[in-house]
Amino acid sequence: MIERTFVMVKPDGVGRRLIGEVIGRYEAEGLKLVGIKMQIVSLDLAEKHYAEHRDKSFYDGLIAFITSGPSVQMVWEGEGAIDAVRTLNGATDPQKADTGTIRADFGQTVQQNIVHASDAPKTAEREIALYFQPSELWDYSQPDAAWLQE
Ligand code: IDP
Ligand code: MG
């Protein structure tokens, strides 16, 4: 199924000049970039984004980190995009992430793990709506689209 997923290059990824590295991996997977922006996420937006973690011990640190500098927000589209991106990103803890994943290659701590990505269709829908207006998402075709279909 063609899906859309929300992805963020967190402030550590932006600061360490890894935006292009992250985008390159999703492009190489055959996914399509349909929206992109850069901002310092406000406290209010960060709290909405991470509401599910409100009661966790790491919540305050996570909110401080995610609002600490500019981050890049994106929407990627493609066949099974939600799982495909989570696989490329790797496990939350870079120490436990599979070799060759973004987090294994570049993540420093469980908190500073370079990227965020939606974990399910409902989450993707909610997170895309939090960060993007419908008019900021683009419908276009790529010349190799037919080759990527099963
Ligand atoms: P995910 O990003 O792989 O979906 P979640 O469990 O949803 O992982 O956690 C959201 C984010 O919170 C993580 O990406 C990481 O930045 C941070 N985080 C999660 N667990 C911990 C922890 O135990 N200590 C510090 N930060 C954590
Ligand atoms: Mg999560």
Side-chain angles (χ1 to χ4, degrees), residues 11 32-33 40 72 78 123 127 136 143:
K32 184 202 284 189
L33 182 62
I40 296 182
V72 171
T123 324
E127 292 175 349
E136 296 173 316

Side-chain angles (χ1 to χ4, degrees), residues 17-145:
R17 302 177 173 83
L18 293 169
I19 303 165
E21 175 73 36
V22 171
I23 288 176
R25 291 182 181 217
Y26 304 151
E27 286 187 332
E29 183 72 11
L31 296 168
K32 184 202 284 189
L33 182 62
V34 298
I36 184 167
K37 59 174 70 170
M38 184 179 194
Q39 67 190 297
I40 296 182
V41 173
S42 70
L43 193 58
D44 179 58
L45 188 51
E47 286 175 346
K48 282 184 181 139
H49 178 162
Y50 283 120
E52 64 166 318
H53 294 309
R54 211 169 20 223
D55 299 326
K56 307 268 173 63
S57 58
F58 60 81
Y59 177 76
D60 288 348
L62 174 61
I63 296 297
F65 163 57
I66 221 69
T67 58
S68 67
S71 53
V72 171
Q73 290 73 36
M74 299 180 278
V75 178
W76 286 86
E77 182 184 285
E79 182 67 36
I82 295 168
D83 281 351
V85 167
R86 297 272 301 185
T87 300
L88 290 169
N89 287 0
T92 309
D93 181 351
Q95 304 280 352
K96 295 179 184 144
D98 287 343
T99 305
T101 59
I102 293 166
R103 283 164 165 177
D105 288 352
F106 303 107
Q108 289 172 310
T109 63
V110 186
Q111 181 186 83
Q112 302 199 195
N113 59 4
I114 312 289
V115 276
H116 164 84
S118 309
D119 60 10
K122 277 263 174 285
T123 324
E125 198 181 317
R126 189 182 80 83
E127 292 175 349
I128 290 168
L130 264 184
Y131 286 92
F132 287 87
Q133 299 293 325
S135 62
E136 296 173 316
L137 300 175
W138 302 97
D139 251 321
Y140 62 98
S141 57
Q142 292 174 316
D144 61 355

